[in-house]
Every structure is written in C-alpha cells, then in structure tokens.
Amino acid sequence: MTTTLKPGDQAPDFTLTSDKGEDVTLSDLKGQRVIVYFYPAAMTPGCTKQACDFRDSLASLKAAGYEVVGISPDPPAKLAQFRERDAITFPLVSDPDRSTLKAYGAYGEKQNYGRTVLGVIRSTFVIDEKGHIERAMYNVKATGHVAKLRKDLGID
C-alpha cells in the first residue's frame, strides 16, 4: 500500500544530500513555505523541462515566499552535472534508497507506455510554514506543471 499525503498532513521530514554535497533538511526550512517536487531522473527530457520551468519561475516563487527543492534517486554527482548543465538555481537532493520518495507516496506502481512499472511518481507538494502539506499533487505532467502550480498559488 502506497502512502498518499493530503492537505493538513504533517510533511515527512528528511535530511538528504544535495547536488553540492550539503545536507538539506526539511525541518530547517520551517517558517518558510516550501515546494518539494519529486522527479524520476536528472538530465532526461521531461525532468529537464520541469527543472528549467522551476528555475525560470524561481524569482517569482521566492518573491511570493516559496523555497523550491527537487528530489530524485540520482546520486549527488549526477545532480551536480544536471545543475551545471542547466543552470539550476535551487537545491537538487538525492534520495538513493527512495525512503523519502516512499514517505511522500512518490514511489510505487505507475503506468509507463501502457505498462505497469515500479518507479518515481512525478509529484509536487506545497508545504506551509508549520510543516504541513498545503497541496499534494500526484502524477503531474512535466510540461506545463509549474505554470499551473503558479496559477493555483495565485502567482501570476
């Protein structure tokens, strides 16, 4: 049974290693609103599109009081390559054992080209200043997701 988070739930805390080799801990961001998004693999077309959309929207998201953290099972060295290649300006963090992905319900069975496979479920969570889930979005599309999120959050 896969965990599914909903608004009002406590966001599972995590401490994961970033693309810069630093620990990123969700509870250290308490007092701020945080957008945590989970993606399957760095440097793939859909994940690149999504990361670049967040990068391009980062100034307006920060102006509205949001921090952004991207999480994938990729190792920190690959995330560093992704950051450098695409000028990503927010933390990309590594969840190699997929424990954080599972805690958020962002890892499990999904459809991929008509087949059921086990993998990362592209998901986004908006976490409030007290560490509670404000929005939980599962199976989001890479293209257009950030624009929709901005609209839903009233940042346009």
Side-chain angles (χ1 to χ4, degrees):
M1 177 90 180
T2 301
T3 301
T4 303
L5 298 175
K6 59 189 180 314
D9 288 346
Q10 181 69 41
D13 199 13
F14 58 80
T15 298
L16 298 170
T17 304
S18 78
D19 54 306
K20 295 181 179 179
E22 302 165 347
D23 283 348
V24 173
T25 301
L26 180 63
S27 57
D28 288 350
L29 298 172
K30 216 169 213 171
Q32 302 175 66
R33 296 171 86 190
V34 183
I35 296 169
V36 176
Y37 82 97
F38 295 90
Y39 61 98
M43 297 194 282
T44 57
C47 296
T48 298
K49 173 69 175 142
Q50 187 177 23
C52 289
D53 284 352
F54 271 114
R55 176 201 66 204
D56 295 346
S57 294
L58 194 61
S60 61
L61 289 168
K62 280 185 173 272
Y66 294 94
E67 294 294 324
V68 175
V69 177
I71 301 177
S72 79
D74 295 307
K78 184 174 181 186
L79 297 175
Q81 290 175 324
F82 189 30
R83 173 181 38 84
E84 290 168 19
R85 186 191 82 174
D86 294 294
I88 306 300
T89 53
F90 54 86
L92 299 173
V93 299
S94 174
D95 184 19
D97 68 2
R98 296 163 177 78
S99 59
T100 301
L101 285 153
K102 291 174 184 172
Y104 279 79
Y107 187 83
E109 285 189 356
K110 64 179 188 172
Q111 293 297 310
N112 192 16
Y113 299 108
R115 293 186 346 214
T116 300
V117 297
L118 195 60
V120 177
I121 300 164
R122 191 181 303 276
S123 306
T124 300
F125 301 86
V126 178
I127 301 167
D128 71 16
E129 300 89 343
K130 294 180 180 171
H132 292 99
I133 302 291
E134 192 174 294
R135 293 176 190 265
M137 296 158 278
Y138 292 95
N139 294 306
V140 302
K141 302 289 182 209
T143 302
H145 171 62
V146 176
K148 181 184 180 325
L149 179 62
R150 289 168 46 93
K151 185 177 181 204
D152 290 351
L153 295 175
I155 306 171
D156 271 336

